[in-house]
Amino acid sequence: MEYLSTRGGCSGQSFEDVLLTGLAPDGGLFVPAELPRLSASDLAEMRDLSYAELAWRIASMFTAGAFPEDDLRRMVEASYAGFSDPEVAPLTALGEGEYVLELFHGPTLAFKDFALQVLGRMLDHVLRRKGRRVLILGATSGDTGSAALEGCRHSAQVDICILHPHEKVSDVQRKQMTTVAGDNVFNLAVEGNFDDCQRLVKAAFADQSFLPPGLQLVAVNSINWARIVMQIVYYIHAGLRLGAPERPVSFSVPTGNFGDIYAGYLAREMGLPVKRLIVATNENDILHRFIGGNEYSIAPLKHTWSPSMDILVSSNFERYLFDLFGRDSTALAQFMADGATGKASLSEARWRAMREVFDSASANDATTCATIAEVWREHGVLLDPHTAVGVRAARATRESVRDPEAPMICLATAHPAKFAEAVTAAGLPAPELPERLQRQFRRPERYRVVENDLAALTSILGGLAV
Ligand SMILES: *Cc1c(COP(=O)(O)O)cnc(C)c1O
């Protein structure tokens, strides 16, 4: 399998290449030159596989040749063995034809574990073979940091350093990062805000001369292709559980950077019968405005109860647009440039083609809390605020989803205990931290406070690497 860039300036890349790269050198995102397909009989045959077996089968379609099959299988099995539910991604029924897909049974209680547990192992495998080491550097205020730290803490060839804004993240968020054990795991609390953290990371990537020779910085942000691949699996797994390939399903997906829902789109393109994909946004609703009204324009950032979806522009959306534009890089680049400076829109025909696949809805904080309370009252199921945005969107768009026979699967992207403030704002008692997190939080916190200054950061980073 070969990969090419959405901007047309780079092709013939291997899985290994894209694993170690973020943006393509031409500023685009990597996508497979050709997507593997699953026929109805392929899907039917996968119905009885365990989650890890299915994940291994799907991963091997994209990694072709990068890992010996047995090694890949071991990495995938080890990744999902650490999940606290034996089903890995269990489905819970809400109302008639309405389900919640629980993606929060991994070590950090959010769906990002599905990808980052495997990614850490894949990186380690490739780097060991090449005899190389990398330093993963990232800034986070949310779920990615802890999931990346957990995913890499066993990786011998990887050091990982995550920046967070000092005293500007919740106690739970901070402790999830600072209590991760591992000699290769470092947390820095920057005396600044989240934007300062991101700016420092960007500057460090731009000039890596502070690193010892041979060492390289790597990002594991949401554009990493390997992350997308591992997220395709739970769409197929859930679809098969609810009757695919004979019966179609729909998904409602709380969306920020469009990585999660893009994986759903790929599952559909590969052959899973998916009726509709619902893009669920909070008040940062660029995608909802675009899908609903064909206007793609950036609006100021709002801080909401669902912070992991507080984004201006969804980085992975470009991957979908590339397909929508018939893989025409020039048209795509023009659209992105128009969108960045003012507004962009699609031809009527393209917009309709997009709406064949996607529908959308957005929920504000008040509606999010009302949905948490409503679902608790009706079904005794406690949702986290991101998931609540998804359930709200599923209910808001249900009528427009043409096939009432297709069950609606709402992705539950985080455990409610991670976002207790939103739950109490919904008038419900704060959920208890799951046992696994309570245990982790008894460990000592390890982090270092650092000035909001590039030289201060690079001198620490230069000293970390061995
Ligand atoms: C990251 C995240 C999202 C958004 O996922 P994208 O892939 O960025 O669309 C939604 N919910 C939670 C809890 C998250 O951590």
Side-chain angles (χ1 to χ4, degrees), residues 110-112 143 254-260 308-309 386 413-414:
F111 85 92
K112 292 185 172 73
D143 299 324
T255 303
N257 273 318
F258 205 77
D260 198 2
S308 297
M309 294 150 66
H386 304 78
T413 50

Side-chain angles (χ1 to χ4, degrees), residues 109-112 142-144 222 227-228 231 234 253-263 280 287 306-311 314-316 384-387 411-415 418-419:
L109 313 183
F111 85 92
K112 292 185 172 73
D143 299 324
T144 308
S222 75
R227 286 180 62 175
I228 307 275
Q231 292 170 184
Y234 45 74
V253 188
T255 303
N257 273 318
F258 205 77
D260 198 2
I261 194 163
Y262 176 66
L287 291 176
S306 42
S308 297
M309 294 150 66
D310 290 347
I311 50 93
S314 305
S315 46
N316 282 292
D384 104 286
H386 304 78
T387 308
L411 270 54
T413 50
H415 190 287
K418 287 188 78 163
F419 298 95

Side-chain angles (χ1 to χ4, degrees), residues 45-64:
E45 191 215 315
M46 290 175 156
R47 206 151 24 200
D48 297 325
L49 297 180
S50 71
Y51 191 90
E53 278 173 331
L54 180 68
W56 169 60
R57 294 268 283 269
I58 302 296
S60 69
M61 293 176 177
F62 289 91
T63 55

Side-chain angles (χ1 to χ4, degrees), residues 144-182:
T144 308
S146 52
L149 292 161
E150 274 292 340
C152 294
R153 69 191 179 95
H154 297 299
S155 307
Q157 308 300 111
V158 176
D159 284 325
I160 176 165
C161 178
I162 299 293
L163 275 54
H164 69 265
H166 187 40
E167 291 173 345
K168 292 196 177 64
V169 298
S170 74
D171 275 8
V172 170
Q173 281 175 331
R174 188 191 67 248
K175 285 187 191 164
Q176 274 208 293
M177 297 190 277
T178 59
T179 58
V180 173

